[in-house]
Amino acid sequence: SHLKLFIDLVNTKSFAVSLAVEAFEEGEITQICDKFGATVEQYAGDLPTNWLELRSATFHRARLEVESHVKYIVEQFHLDDDWNQRLERCLDEKEVNTTKANSNAVMKQWYEAANAASEHGSSCFFIGSLYELLGEYDEAYGEDFHDREHAISYAQRLQRTRLLECVRMGDLLLPLFAWLAWPLCSLYLQRRSGPGLTGLLTHTVLLGGLYVLAKLTNQ
């Protein structure tokens, strides 16, 4: 918008003081606001970052960086309250944009952590570790972890998918093996003969081989 003001000023046959003043004021707001945004990025570092530190330290320090220049030009050029309000709106917008960026980074990091727990965990049940991580996120990111319900829903969907993958024949039979082992053995031992014991050993070796083969093929 300030570029248009300069163009209008150049195209005006008679020098318009009001246009020059307006162009100067807009230019100063843009310069100060851009410096404030760059300073926020510098102090915040890589996102996501702690939400309290972002608000109480990063934004505060960045405002202090531009405060002296603002005070100087206000006094030097007698800028009014309207100019200060426009500048404040621009600074507030920079803070809002940074907060949104931090929130997006928090959710991206959460998705990556949830996917890693689902894909690389050794247990079929991993959601407990994600609930622990949820508490850490609440403490570290606070208001910037605004889509908490969606994060929980995402973790639950991953858990359901993982459970479906884990429900295989071996997973169903192994918990029942201790209950089934003795009745099966007693059927063989009731014969009290060589063929009965031989059959028990043969079937035991066969089942053991099938189990090992299933583990090797990840079934």
Side-chain angles (χ1 to χ4, degrees), residues 2-50:
H2 62 282
L3 178 60
K4 183 178 182 299
L5 292 173
F6 278 111
I7 295 174
D8 291 341
L9 179 61
V10 170
N11 292 333
T12 302
K13 293 181 179 180
S14 59
F15 183 78
V17 176
S18 59
L19 282 177
V21 171
E22 188 175 351
F24 169 76
E25 291 181 352
E26 287 296 325
E28 284 297 322
I29 289 175
T30 300
Q31 180 182 348
I32 294 170
C33 209
D34 288 345
K35 180 181 179 181
F36 173 78
T39 306
V40 166
E41 290 183 6
Q42 177 185 348
Y43 286 147
D46 294 332
L47 301 179
T49 187
N50 183 279

Side-chain angles (χ1 to χ4, degrees), residues 174-194:
L174 283 177
L176 300 176
F177 180 76
W179 296 92
L180 297 175
W182 174 246
L184 291 174
C185 290
S186 64
L187 291 176
Y188 286 99
L189 295 176
Q190 282 177 359
R191 302 179 184 180
R192 298 181 181 277
S193 60

Side-chain angles (χ1 to χ4, degrees), residues 4-158:
K4 183 178 182 299
L5 292 173
F6 278 111
I7 295 174
D8 291 341
L9 179 61
V10 170
N11 292 333
T12 302
K13 293 181 179 180
S14 59
F15 183 78
V17 176
S18 59
L19 282 177
V21 171
E22 188 175 351
F24 169 76
E25 291 181 352
E26 287 296 325
E28 284 297 322
I29 289 175
T30 300
Q31 180 182 348
I32 294 170
C33 209
D34 288 345
K35 180 181 179 181
F36 173 78
T39 306
V40 166
E41 290 183 6
Q42 177 185 348
Y43 286 147
D46 294 332
L47 301 179
T49 187
N50 183 279
W51 73 290
L52 285 176
E53 182 177 342
L54 182 64
R55 287 159 175 76
S56 63
T58 303
F59 291 158
H60 178 67
R61 290 173 64 189
R63 282 180 178 266
L64 289 178
E65 291 277 339
V66 300
E67 189 177 76
S68 59
H69 180 66
V70 171
K71 183 178 179 180
Y72 170 78
I73 63 170
V74 166
E75 293 177 351
Q76 199 70 8
F77 299 99
H78 307 287
L79 300 176
D80 56 15
D81 290 339
D82 177 69
W83 183 89
N84 279 289
Q85 290 172 5
R86 282 184 286 150
L87 174 62
E88 190 64 28
R89 284 196 296 270
C90 186
L91 298 180
D92 289 343
E93 185 178 353
K94 291 288 186 181
E95 291 183 357
V96 169
N97 291 339
T98 303
T99 301
K100 288 180 179 178
N102 197 47
S103 296
N104 292 336
V106 169
M107 293 305 299
K108 181 176 182 292
Q109 182 175 274
W110 170 264
Y111 293 143
E112 291 174 352
N115 289 332
S118 173
E119 295 170 4
H120 306 301
S122 59
S123 172
C124 291
F125 299 93
F126 63 86
I127 199 167
S129 62
L130 289 182
Y131 276 119
E132 292 180 4
L133 185 62
L134 191 69
E136 296 176 9
Y137 270 55
D138 285 335
E139 182 178 353
Y141 303 121
E143 294 178 3
D144 290 347
F145 191 34
H146 65 281
D147 210 356
R148 189 177 187 276
E149 294 303 319
H150 182 74
I152 295 174
S153 176
Y154 184 78
Q156 291 173 341
R157 289 199 302 271
L158 289 178

